[in-house]
C-alpha cells in the first residue's frame, strides 16, 4: 500500500534499534565490569584491615608473656628475693581467662612456666615441687617421660594457668615432643621469642581439630635477658603460651562493636609451605581472586587469604543509581527516539527529494553567487588581517601579531617540552641618529635593520617590530647555543651593512641584543622569558653596545 519504497522506513528503524541495543549491551557489560572492579578494590582495602587485625591479635597475645617473662627474669636475678609459685602465676593470668571472651586475649589457651631440669635431677625436682607447694597431685607425666632420654635435660611444665584442668598441663615434659623441643632450643639459643608451627593442644580436653601455636620466651640464670648464640647451659626455663589459630581468626573477623564474627568475609591462614593452618567464615564466593596478605610472625611467614562470601545485593534505589543502569536506560531511550526520527524522516524523504530536485537549479545558482561573495569577503578580511598584523613602516609583524605567535609557541613548548628562544634587538643611539640625519633617514634605517633581521632568521622563526627601534625574534625549537649564534649573526650583519652613523665608535649603525630561553620549570612562561631577555638587552647596552648578551 505504500509502494515499492514502503519497507525502507521499517528496515532503517530496525537497523537503528539493533545497533542501539548492541551499544546498550556493550555499555552495560563494560560499566558492570568497572563496577565489579571497584567493588573488588574496595574489598581488597577491607581485606587489609582484617589481615592487620590478625597481625595485631598475634602481637597482643605476646604482651602477657613478655610481662611474665620479666617477672621470672627478676626472680632468676635474685633481686626480688621471692619465688613465683603456681598461685602467683594464676593470680596474674586467671583474670585474663575470666574475661577472655570479651577481651583481646580470647585466643589464649594456656600460659605456663617451663623449668629446665637435668635428667639426674628430675626426681628431686618433683619431690621438692610437692614439698614446696600444697599441690600433691604434681607429677611428671609418664606418657611424656617414656620418650625422654635419661642422659638429656627435661623442659617440664612447672606452673601452668590454663582454660583446662591443671593436671592436664602441669608436669608435662615438653622436651619429649621433637617439635616443641626444637622451638624451646631455638628460643634458648637466640635469646628471643620463638614460635612453633601448628601443633595439637597440650591438654586432652581441648578440641584436637583446632590447632595451637606455641610461643616460648627464654629466662637465664642470673636474670640475663640475652645469651650469645649456642650458649644454652645457663637456661633456667621458659615462659610459654599456647594460642588457638581458630580463635585468632575469629577475633580478626569480629567487628569492634560486635561480639560475633563478620558473616561476610572468609579468612584462610596458610604457613610458609602453603599448607592450610586454619580457616574461618562461611564458604568463599566462587570466581573471586582473594586478597593476599603476608604476615611475618617471629621467624615464620604466614599468608592470609581474605575472600568475600557473597556479593552484596543492591537495594532498588542503589540499583537505579548505578552507572550501568543509568547509562543503559539512557541509551535505550535515545535509540527509541532516534528510531522514531529515522522512521519519520524516511517517510518524508520522497517528498523532500522532489522538492529538492525542483529547487536544485535555483539553489545552485544562489550557491555560486554566495561562494563568489564569500571569496571576495575572505580576500578583504585577509587583507585587513594582514594590515592589522603588519608594521606599516618595516612590513614585518607588529607587536600585537607577535604576542599572538608567542602564545602559540608557549602552548607548543608546554606540549612538546622543547623550549623556545627570544631575542630583543635595539638600534644603538637611534635618537642621536634621528637628530643628526633626520627622521626620514631614521625610518630607512629601521626598514633596512628589519630586512636584515628577517633575512637572517630561519623560516620557522617569527620576526616583529616591537616598538620604536626595538625588534624581536621568536626562535622555535632552539637551544642556548643556537639562539646566541643567531643573535651574533644578526648583530654582525647589521654592522657589515655599514649604514653610516658618525656618532658611533665604528662609525656605522650597530644593534645590541638580549636573549633568553623558555624554562619548563615555570611552564615556559613567555612573560618571564621576555623579562630575562630585556634585562640581558639592558646589560648589553650598559656594557658598551654592539653586543648580544644572554643567560646560558
Amino acid at each position: 500500500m505504500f509502494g515499492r519504497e514502503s519497507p525502507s522506513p521499517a528496515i532503517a528503524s530496525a537497523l537503528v534499534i539493533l545497533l542501539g541495543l548492541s551499544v546498550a549491551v556493550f555499555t552495560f557489560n563494560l560499566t558492570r565490569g568497572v563496577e565489579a572492579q571497584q567493588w573488588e578494590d574496595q574489598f581488597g582495602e577491607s581485606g587489609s584491615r582484617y589481615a592487620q587485625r590478625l597481625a595485631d591479635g598475634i602481637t597482643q597475645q605476646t604482651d602477657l608473656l613478655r610481662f611474665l617473662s620479666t617477672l621470672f627474669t627478676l626472680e632468676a636475678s635474685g633481686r626480688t628475693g621471692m619465688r613465683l609459685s603456681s598461685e602467683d602465676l594464676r593470680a596474674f593470668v586467671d583474670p585474663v581467662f575470666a574475661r577472655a571472651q570479651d577481651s583481646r586475649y580470647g585466643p589464649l589457651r594456656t600460659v605456663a612456666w617451663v623449668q629446665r631440669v637435668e635428667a639426674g635431677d628430675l626426681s628431686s625436682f618433683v619431690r621438692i615441687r610437692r614439698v614446696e607447694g600444697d599441690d600433691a597431685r604434681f607429677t611428671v607425666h609418664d606418657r611424656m617421660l617414656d620418650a625422654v632420654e635419661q642422659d638429656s635435660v627435661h623442659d617440664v611444665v612447672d606452673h601452668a594457668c590454663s582454660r583446662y584442668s591443671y593436671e592436664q598441663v602441669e608436669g608435662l615434659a615438653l622436651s619429649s615432643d621433637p617439635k616443641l623441643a626444637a622451638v624451646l632450643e631455638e628460643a634458648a639459643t637466640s635469646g628471643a621469642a620463638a614460635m612453633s608451627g601448628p601443633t595439637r593442644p597440650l591438654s586432652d580436653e581441648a578440641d584436637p581439630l583446632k590447632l595451637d601455636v606455641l610461643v616460648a620466651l627464654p629466662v637465664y640464670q642470673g636474670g640475663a635477658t640475652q645469651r650469645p648464640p649456642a650458649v644454652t647451659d645457663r637456661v633456667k626455663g621458659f615462659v610459654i603460651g599456647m594460642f588457638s589459630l581458630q580463635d585468632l581468626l575469629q577475633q580478626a573477623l569480629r567487628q569492634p562493636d560486635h561480639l560475633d564474627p563478620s558473616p561476610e568475609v572468609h579468612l584462610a591462614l596458610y604457613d610458609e609451605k602453603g599448607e592450610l593452618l586454619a580457616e574461618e567464615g562461611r564458604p568463599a564466593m566462587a570466581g573471586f581472586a582473594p586478597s593476599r596478605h603476608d604476615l611475618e610472625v617471629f621467624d615464620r611467614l604466614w599468608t592470609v587469604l581474605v575472600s568475600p562470601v557473597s556479593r552484596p545485593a543492591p537495594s532498588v534505589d542503589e540499583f537505579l543509581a548505578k552507572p550501568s543502569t543509568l547509562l543503559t536506560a539512557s541509551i535505550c531511550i535515545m535509540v527509541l527516539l532516534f528510531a522514531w526520527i529515522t522512521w519519520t524522516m524516511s517517510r518524508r524523504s520522497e517528498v523532500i527529494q522532489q522538492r529538492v530536485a525542483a529547487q536544485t537549479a535555483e539553489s545552485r545558482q544562489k550557491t555560486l553567487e554566495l561562494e563568489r561573495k564569500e571569496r571576495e569577503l575572505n580576500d578583504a578580511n585577509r587583507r585587513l588581517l594582514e594590515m592589522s598584523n603588519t608594521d606599516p613602516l618595516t612590513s614585518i609583524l607588529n607587536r600585537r601579531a607577535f604576542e599572538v605567535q608567542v602564545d602559540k609557541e608557549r602552548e607548543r613548548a608546554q606540549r612538546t617540552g622543547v623550549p623556545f628562544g627570544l631575542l630583543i634587538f635595539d638600534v644603538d643611539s637611534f635618537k642621536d641618529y634621528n637628530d643628526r640625519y633626520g627622521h626620514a633617514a631614521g625610518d630607512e634605517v629601521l626598514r633596512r635593520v628589519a630586512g636584515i633581521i628577517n633575512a637572517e632568521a630561519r623560516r620557522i622563526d617569527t620576526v616583529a617590530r616591537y616598538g620604536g627601534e626595538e625588534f624581536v625574534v621568536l626562535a622555535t625549537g632552539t637551544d642556548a647555543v643556537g639562539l646566541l649564534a643567531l643573535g651574533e649573526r644578526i648583530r654582525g650583519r647589521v654592522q657589515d651593512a655599514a649604514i653610516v652613523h658618525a656618532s658611533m665608535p665604528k662609525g656605522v649603525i650597530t644593534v645590541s641584543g638580549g636573549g633568553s630561553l623558555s624554562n619548563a620549570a615555570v611552564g615556559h612562561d613567555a612573560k618571564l622569558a621576555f623579562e630575562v631577555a630585556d634585562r640581558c638587552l639592558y646589560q648589553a647596552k650598559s656594557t658598551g653596545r654592539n653586543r648580544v648578551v644572554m643567560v646560558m
Side-chain angles (χ1 to χ4, degrees), residues 349-391:
S349 62
E350 185 176 355
V351 176
I352 295 174
Q353 289 174 1
Q354 292 174 356
R355 292 179 180 178
V356 169
Q359 297 174 357
T360 299
E362 182 181 357
S363 298
R364 183 181 296 111
Q365 184 63 32
K366 290 182 179 180
T367 300
L368 293 175
E369 183 66 20
L370 288 175
E371 289 177 352
R372 182 184 62 78
K373 291 182 179 180
E374 185 178 3
R375 286 195 299 270
E376 292 176 354
L377 181 60
N378 289 338
D379 292 340
N381 288 336
R382 185 172 59 254
R383 288 193 296 271
L384 288 174
L385 182 62
E386 290 176 354
M387 292 175 61
S388 64
N389 290 337
T390 304
D391 178 61

Side-chain angles (χ1 to χ4, degrees), residues 35-212:
E35 291 169 356
Q37 185 61 47
Q38 290 175 346
W39 180 78
E40 292 180 7
D41 294 342
Q42 293 173 357
F43 182 83
E45 295 177 1
S46 65
S48 299
R49 291 195 295 270
Y50 285 110
Q52 186 60 47
R53 287 179 195 165
L54 180 60
D56 294 343
I58 294 173
T59 302
Q60 288 168 356
Q61 305 311 309
T62 63
D63 291 346
L64 181 63
L65 298 183
R66 296 187 187 280
F67 172 72
L68 294 175
S69 174
T70 302
L71 293 182
F72 281 100
T73 299
L74 291 175
E75 176 196 353
S77 68
R79 294 194 295 269
T80 61
M82 66 174 184
R83 184 179 187 277
L84 295 175
S85 64
S86 296
E87 288 73 18
D88 296 327
L89 179 65
R90 293 164 190 162
F92 287 117
V93 181
D94 276 343
V96 174
F97 287 125
R99 62 177 189 275
Q101 295 301 325
D102 301 322
S103 73
R104 61 181 179 173
Y105 298 109
L108 186 63
R109 290 181 184 267
T110 300
V111 176
W113 164 251
V114 178
Q115 182 79 29
R116 174 157 285 191
V117 184
E118 297 291 337
D121 299 333
L122 185 60
S123 298
S124 60
F125 166 74
V126 174
R127 188 167 53 254
I128 293 172
R129 176 68 176 80
R130 288 177 172 175
V131 171
E132 288 183 347
D134 57 1
D135 191 356
R137 72 178 184 277
F138 181 86
T139 181
V140 177
H141 291 273
D142 293 339
R143 64 183 174 86
M144 299 296 285
L145 283 180
D146 289 343
V148 178
E149 297 179 1
Q150 294 303 313
D151 58 350
S152 63
V153 296
H154 307 307
D155 294 318
V156 182
V157 178
D158 190 0
H159 309 317
C161 189
S162 175
R163 293 190 184 183
Y164 316 105
S165 61
Y166 302 138
E167 297 93 333
Q168 291 286 332
V169 179
E170 290 185 344
L172 290 177
L174 302 185
S175 53
S176 64
D177 187 323
K179 291 183 179 180
L180 301 184
V183 175
L184 297 179
E185 190 63 24
E186 178 185 350
T189 303
S190 65
M195 175 177 280
S196 73
T199 182
R200 63 180 300 275
L202 293 181
S203 173
D204 292 335
E205 298 177 6
D207 185 354
L209 298 179
K210 290 187 176 182
L211 298 178
D212 286 359

